[in-house]
Amino acid sequence: MKAAALFRIAHLVYATDVVGAVALDWRSIGLLAAVAAVTVFVYGSALLRGGFRPSWVWADVLLTGCALPWVAVAAIGDGPAVEPHGWLMVPALSAAAAAVVTLGRRSAALAVLVMLFTSLAVHQAVAASSTPALLEHFTAVVEAVAVAGPGWWYLRRQGRLLDIAQERAVVVESARARQAERAAHHAALHDTVLATLTTIAAGRVDVTAPGFRDRCAREAAYLRRLVQSGTLEEPHRYDGPPAPDRVGTAAALEEATRAAESLGLKVTSQYDAAPDLPREVARALAAAVTEALNNVRTHARTPSAYLTVFGRAGGVEVTVADRGVGFDATAGCGARAGTGLRRSVHGRMVAVGGSAEVDSRPGEGTLVALRWPA
């Protein structure tokens, strides 16, 4: 696309030199301005949107390669504008190149034939036209097509090879990340659940002690979350390249959950089809859940909270609920909980394209719903 645009710019520069080298002719200047306008519209739009539109390429072919030469024949009659390889015929080369890289084979061949037929017809209509110049023009068009066609094929082939290589690298990196995540959870299991079971087996602890029972409850909840999230399972069958730099929802929320449990809050979790998230979204979601759990622990006057995670089309929804004292959510989220919920929960989610809603009434508990994308 950029090469075709540079090709057309070179043709405009050549046309400007030819028009400026002869006596001032407003008809030629008008034709040159028309070619420049078509160029800016077609090629400028292609550069802005990242590619040609087939309809615009056809417009360039029909206007620059076919219509304007006949306008020149009617308005000027002869001269450098309407010669078979004159300055007004030369832009047909870049139009042919754009047709080859944008249109299908048949459409591109038709576009090139239409422009060649136009050149032949103009040659017959202009008395001073020369056959060698016509053959030179035909040869230049064919050469432009011959260069653009294989060049475009080669670039597309190299692009596909690069995409395949990147896809393989992403798959390998994703596998490494998942393996590292599993290794981290295995290490946590070794340091917590396995250590607790070993202590029980050795008979070195009073299993009826309230503190030990609380520890077992936290570790049982941790195991339950791992099973629900599928973290301990083997990798799934490959169904296409995963998006790079993503984090599992369960892994993102595990630290927030365990931090709340370490401070005495019992968190009951439920995961359902939790997806992988972009890393910045995972951080924001974990921070929002941390603040929501802190609000439960600090303000709800209840020892329990309920965390629910489930995937939805293209994203995830997370809820943190409690059966505590609640507050009037319509009055600015309450005097105490409002600042944390507005800044740390709502603000963080909005910053990554998500949303947060708080539903609470005095005596009926609180529900914080986090959604990404909003």
Coordinates of all heavy atoms in Angstrom, one line a residue, residues 154-201:
Y154 N 5.0 -12.0 -2.3 CA 6.2 -12.3 -1.4 C 5.9 -11.7 0.0 O 6.2 -12.3 1.1 CB 7.4 -11.8 -2.0 CG 8.7 -11.9 -1.1 CD1 9.3 -13.1 -0.9 CD2 9.2 -10.8 -0.4 CE1 10.4 -13.3 -0.1 CE2 10.3 -10.9 0.5 CZ 10.9 -12.2 0.6 OH 12.0 -12.3 1.4
L155 N 5.5 -10.4 0.0 CA 5.2 -9.8 1.3 C 4.1 -10.5 2.1 O 4.2 -10.6 3.3 CB 4.8 -8.3 1.1 CG 5.9 -7.4 0.6 CD1 5.3 -6.0 0.3 CD2 7.1 -7.3 1.6
R156 N 3.1 -10.9 1.4 CA 2.0 -11.6 2.1 C 2.5 -12.9 2.7 O 2.2 -13.3 3.8 CB 0.8 -11.9 1.2 CG 0.1 -10.6 0.8 CD -1.1 -10.9 -0.1 NE -2.1 -11.8 0.6 CZ -3.1 -12.3 -0.1 NH1 -3.3 -12.0 -1.3 NH2 -4.0 -13.1 0.6
R157 N 3.4 -13.6 1.9 CA 3.9 -14.9 2.4 C 4.8 -14.7 3.6 O 4.7 -15.4 4.6 CB 4.7 -15.5 1.2 CG 5.4 -16.9 1.6 CD 6.2 -17.4 0.4 NE 6.8 -18.7 0.8 CZ 8.0 -18.8 1.3 NH1 8.7 -17.6 1.5 NH2 8.6 -19.9 1.6
Q158 N 5.7 -13.6 3.6 CA 6.5 -13.4 4.7 C 5.7 -13.0 5.9 O 6.0 -13.3 7.1 CB 7.5 -12.2 4.4 CG 8.5 -12.6 3.3 CD 9.4 -13.8 3.8 OE1 9.3 -14.9 3.2 NE2 10.2 -13.6 4.8
G159 N 4.6 -12.2 5.7 CA 3.7 -11.9 6.8 C 3.1 -13.1 7.4 O 3.0 -13.2 8.7
R160 N 2.6 -14.0 6.6 CA 2.1 -15.3 7.2 C 3.1 -16.0 8.0 O 2.8 -16.6 9.0 CB 1.5 -16.1 6.0 CG 0.2 -15.6 5.4 CD -0.5 -16.7 4.6 NE 0.3 -17.0 3.4 CZ 0.2 -16.4 2.2 NH1 -0.7 -15.5 2.1 NH2 0.9 -16.8 1.2
L161 N 4.3 -16.1 7.4 CA 5.4 -16.8 8.2 C 5.7 -16.2 9.5 O 5.9 -16.8 10.5 CB 6.7 -16.9 7.3 CG 6.6 -17.8 6.1 CD1 7.9 -17.7 5.3 CD2 6.3 -19.2 6.4
L162 N 5.7 -14.8 9.5 CA 5.9 -14.1 10.8 C 4.7 -14.3 11.8 O 5.0 -14.5 13.0 CB 6.1 -12.6 10.5 CG 7.4 -12.2 9.9 CD1 7.4 -10.7 9.5 CD2 8.6 -12.5 10.8
D163 N 3.5 -14.4 11.2 CA 2.4 -14.6 12.1 C 2.5 -16.0 12.7 O 2.2 -16.2 13.9 CB 1.1 -14.5 11.3 CG 0.7 -13.1 10.9 OD1 1.3 -12.2 11.6 OD2 -0.1 -12.9 10.0
I164 N 2.9 -17.0 11.9 CA 3.0 -18.4 12.4 C 4.1 -18.4 13.5 O 3.9 -19.1 14.6 CB 3.3 -19.3 11.3 CG1 2.1 -19.5 10.4 CG2 3.7 -20.7 11.8 CD1 2.4 -20.3 9.1
A165 N 5.2 -17.8 13.3 CA 6.3 -17.7 14.2 C 5.9 -17.1 15.5 O 6.2 -17.5 16.6 CB 7.5 -17.0 13.7
Q166 N 5.1 -16.0 15.4 CA 4.7 -15.3 16.6 C 3.6 -16.1 17.4 O 3.6 -16.2 18.6 CB 4.1 -13.9 16.2 CG 3.6 -13.1 17.4 CD 3.0 -11.8 17.0 OE1 2.8 -11.5 15.9 NE2 2.9 -10.9 18.0
E167 N 2.8 -16.8 16.6 CA 1.8 -17.6 17.2 C 2.5 -18.8 18.0 O 2.1 -19.0 19.2 CB 0.9 -18.2 16.2 CG -0.2 -19.2 16.7 CD -1.0 -19.7 15.5 OE1 -1.5 -18.9 14.7 OE2 -1.3 -21.0 15.5
R168 N 3.5 -19.4 17.5 CA 4.2 -20.4 18.2 C 4.9 -19.9 19.4 O 4.9 -20.5 20.5 CB 5.2 -21.1 17.2 CG 4.6 -21.9 16.1 CD 5.7 -22.4 15.2 NE 5.1 -23.2 14.1 CZ 5.8 -23.7 13.1 NH1 7.1 -23.4 12.9 NH2 5.2 -24.4 12.2
A169 N 5.5 -18.7 19.3 CA 6.1 -18.1 20.5 C 5.1 -17.8 21.6 O 5.4 -18.0 22.8 CB 6.9 -16.8 20.0
V170 N 3.9 -17.3 21.2 CA 2.9 -17.0 22.2 C 2.4 -18.3 22.9 O 2.2 -18.3 24.1 CB 1.7 -16.3 21.5 CG1 0.5 -16.2 22.5 CG2 2.1 -14.9 21.1
V171 N 2.3 -19.4 22.1 CA 1.9 -20.6 22.7 C 2.9 -21.1 23.7 O 2.6 -21.6 24.8 CB 1.7 -21.7 21.6 CG1 1.5 -23.1 22.2 CG2 0.5 -21.3 20.7
V172 N 4.2 -21.0 23.3 CA 5.3 -21.5 24.2 C 5.3 -20.6 25.5 O 5.4 -21.1 26.6 CB 6.6 -21.4 23.5 CG1 7.8 -21.7 24.5 CG2 6.7 -22.4 22.4
E173 N 5.2 -19.3 25.3 CA 5.2 -18.4 26.5 C 4.0 -18.7 27.4 O 4.1 -18.6 28.6 CB 5.2 -17.0 26.0 CG 5.4 -16.0 27.1 CD 6.7 -16.1 27.9 OE1 7.7 -16.6 27.3 OE2 6.7 -15.8 29.1
S174 N 2.8 -18.9 26.7 CA 1.6 -19.2 27.5 C 1.8 -20.5 28.3 O 1.4 -20.6 29.5 CB 0.4 -19.3 26.6 OG -0.7 -19.6 27.4
A175 N 2.4 -21.5 27.7 CA 2.6 -22.8 28.4 C 3.6 -22.6 29.5 O 3.4 -23.1 30.6 CB 3.2 -23.8 27.4
R176 N 4.6 -21.8 29.3 CA 5.6 -21.5 30.4 C 4.9 -20.8 31.6 O 5.1 -21.1 32.7 CB 6.7 -20.7 29.9 CG 7.7 -21.4 29.0 CD 8.7 -20.5 28.4 NE 9.7 -21.2 27.6 CZ 10.6 -20.6 26.9 NH1 10.8 -19.2 27.0 NH2 11.4 -21.3 26.1
A177 N 4.0 -19.8 31.2 CA 3.3 -19.0 32.3 C 2.4 -19.9 33.1 O 2.3 -19.8 34.3 CB 2.5 -17.9 31.6
R178 N 1.7 -20.8 32.4 CA 0.8 -21.7 33.1 C 1.6 -22.7 33.9 O 1.1 -23.1 35.1 CB -0.1 -22.5 32.1 CG -1.1 -21.6 31.4 CD -2.0 -22.4 30.4 NE -3.0 -21.6 29.8 CZ -4.2 -21.3 30.3 NH1 -4.5 -21.8 31.5 NH2 -5.0 -20.5 29.7
Q179 N 2.7 -23.2 33.4 CA 3.5 -24.1 34.2 C 4.1 -23.4 35.5 O 4.1 -24.0 36.6 CB 4.7 -24.6 33.4 CG 5.6 -25.6 34.1 CD 4.8 -26.8 34.5 OE1 3.9 -27.3 33.8 NE2 5.2 -27.4 35.6
A180 N 4.5 -22.1 35.3 CA 4.9 -21.3 36.5 C 3.8 -21.1 37.5 O 4.1 -21.2 38.7 CB 5.5 -20.0 36.0
E181 N 2.6 -20.9 37.0 CA 1.5 -20.7 37.9 C 1.2 -22.0 38.6 O 1.0 -22.0 39.9 CB 0.2 -20.3 37.1 CG -1.0 -20.0 37.9 CD -2.2 -19.6 37.1 OE1 -2.0 -19.0 36.0 OE2 -3.3 -19.7 37.6
R182 N 1.2 -23.1 37.9 CA 1.0 -24.4 38.6 C 2.1 -24.7 39.6 O 1.8 -25.2 40.7 CB 0.9 -25.5 37.6 CG -0.4 -25.6 36.8 CD -0.6 -26.9 36.1 NE 0.5 -27.1 35.2 CZ 0.5 -26.7 33.9 NH1 -0.5 -26.0 33.5 NH2 1.5 -27.0 33.1
A183 N 3.3 -24.4 39.3 CA 4.5 -24.6 40.2 C 4.3 -23.7 41.4 O 4.6 -24.2 42.6 CB 5.8 -24.3 39.5
A184 N 3.8 -22.5 41.3 CA 3.6 -21.6 42.4 C 2.6 -22.2 43.4 O 2.7 -22.2 44.6 CB 3.3 -20.2 42.0
H185 N 1.5 -22.7 42.7 CA 0.4 -23.3 43.6 C 0.9 -24.6 44.2 O 0.5 -24.9 45.4 CB -0.8 -23.5 42.7 CG -1.6 -22.3 42.5 ND1 -2.3 -21.6 43.4 CD2 -1.9 -21.7 41.3 CE1 -2.9 -20.6 42.9 NE2 -2.7 -20.6 41.6
H186 N 1.7 -25.4 43.5 CA 2.2 -26.6 44.2 C 3.1 -26.2 45.3 O 3.1 -26.9 46.4 CB 3.0 -27.4 43.1 CG 2.2 -28.0 42.1 ND1 2.6 -28.5 40.9 CD2 0.8 -28.2 42.0 CE1 1.6 -28.9 40.2 NE2 0.5 -28.8 40.8
A187 N 3.9 -25.2 45.2 CA 4.8 -24.7 46.3 C 3.9 -24.3 47.5 O 4.2 -24.5 48.6 CB 5.7 -23.6 45.8
A188 N 2.8 -23.5 47.2 CA 1.9 -23.1 48.2 C 1.3 -24.3 48.9 O 1.1 -24.3 50.2 CB 0.9 -22.1 47.7
L189 N 0.9 -25.3 48.2 CA 0.3 -26.5 48.8 C 1.3 -27.2 49.7 O 1.0 -27.7 50.8 CB -0.1 -27.4 47.7 CG -1.4 -27.0 46.9 CD1 -1.6 -28.0 45.7 CD2 -2.6 -27.0 47.8
H190 N 2.6 -27.2 49.2 CA 3.6 -27.8 50.0 C 3.8 -27.1 51.4 O 4.0 -27.7 52.4 CB 4.9 -27.8 49.3 CG 6.1 -28.4 50.1 ND1 6.9 -27.6 50.9 CD2 6.6 -29.7 50.1 CE1 7.8 -28.4 51.5 NE2 7.7 -29.6 51.0
D191 N 3.8 -25.7 51.3 CA 4.0 -25.0 52.5 C 2.8 -24.8 53.4 O 3.0 -24.5 54.6 CB 4.5 -23.5 52.1 CG 5.8 -23.6 51.3 OD1 6.5 -24.6 51.5 OD2 6.0 -22.6 50.6
T192 N 1.6 -25.1 52.9 CA 0.4 -24.9 53.7 C -0.3 -26.3 54.0 O -0.2 -26.9 55.1 CB -0.5 -24.0 53.1 OG1 -0.9 -24.4 51.8 CG2 0.1 -22.6 53.0
V193 N -1.0 -26.8 53.0 CA -1.8 -28.0 53.2 C -1.0 -29.2 53.6 O -1.3 -29.9 54.5 CB -2.6 -28.3 51.9 CG1 -3.5 -29.5 52.1 CG2 -3.5 -27.1 51.6
L194 N 0.1 -29.4 52.8 CA 1.0 -30.6 53.1 C 1.6 -30.4 54.5 O 1.7 -31.4 55.3 CB 2.0 -30.7 52.0 CG 3.0 -31.9 52.2 CD1 2.1 -33.2 52.2 CD2 4.0 -32.0 51.1
A195 N 2.0 -29.2 54.9 CA 2.6 -29.0 56.2 C 1.6 -29.3 57.3 O 1.9 -29.9 58.3 CB 3.2 -27.6 56.3
T196 N 0.4 -28.9 57.1 CA -0.7 -29.1 58.1 C -0.9 -30.6 58.2 O -1.0 -31.1 59.3 CB -1.9 -28.4 57.7 OG1 -1.7 -27.0 57.6 CG2 -3.1 -28.6 58.7
L197 N -1.1 -31.3 57.1 CA -1.3 -32.7 57.2 C -0.2 -33.5 57.8 O -0.4 -34.4 58.6 CB -1.6 -33.3 55.7 CG -2.8 -32.8 55.0 CD1 -2.9 -33.3 53.6 CD2 -4.1 -33.2 55.8
T198 N 1.1 -33.1 57.5 CA 2.2 -33.7 58.1 C 2.2 -33.5 59.6 O 2.6 -34.4 60.4 CB 3.5 -33.1 57.5 OG1 3.5 -33.3 56.1 CG2 4.8 -33.8 58.1
T199 N 1.9 -32.3 60.1 CA 1.8 -32.0 61.5 C 0.7 -32.9 62.2 O 1.0 -33.4 63.3 CB 1.5 -30.5 61.7 OG1 2.5 -29.7 61.1 CG2 1.4 -30.2 63.2
I200 N -0.4 -33.0 61.5 CA -1.5 -33.8 62.1 C -1.0 -35.3 62.2 O -1.2 -36.0 63.2 CB -2.7 -33.7 61.2 CG1 -3.3 -32.3 61.3 CG2 -3.8 -34.7 61.7 CD1 -4.5 -32.1 60.4
A201 N -0.4 -35.8 61.1 CA 0.1 -37.2 61.1 C 1.1 -37.4 62.2 O 1.2 -38.5 62.7 CB 0.6 -37.5 59.7

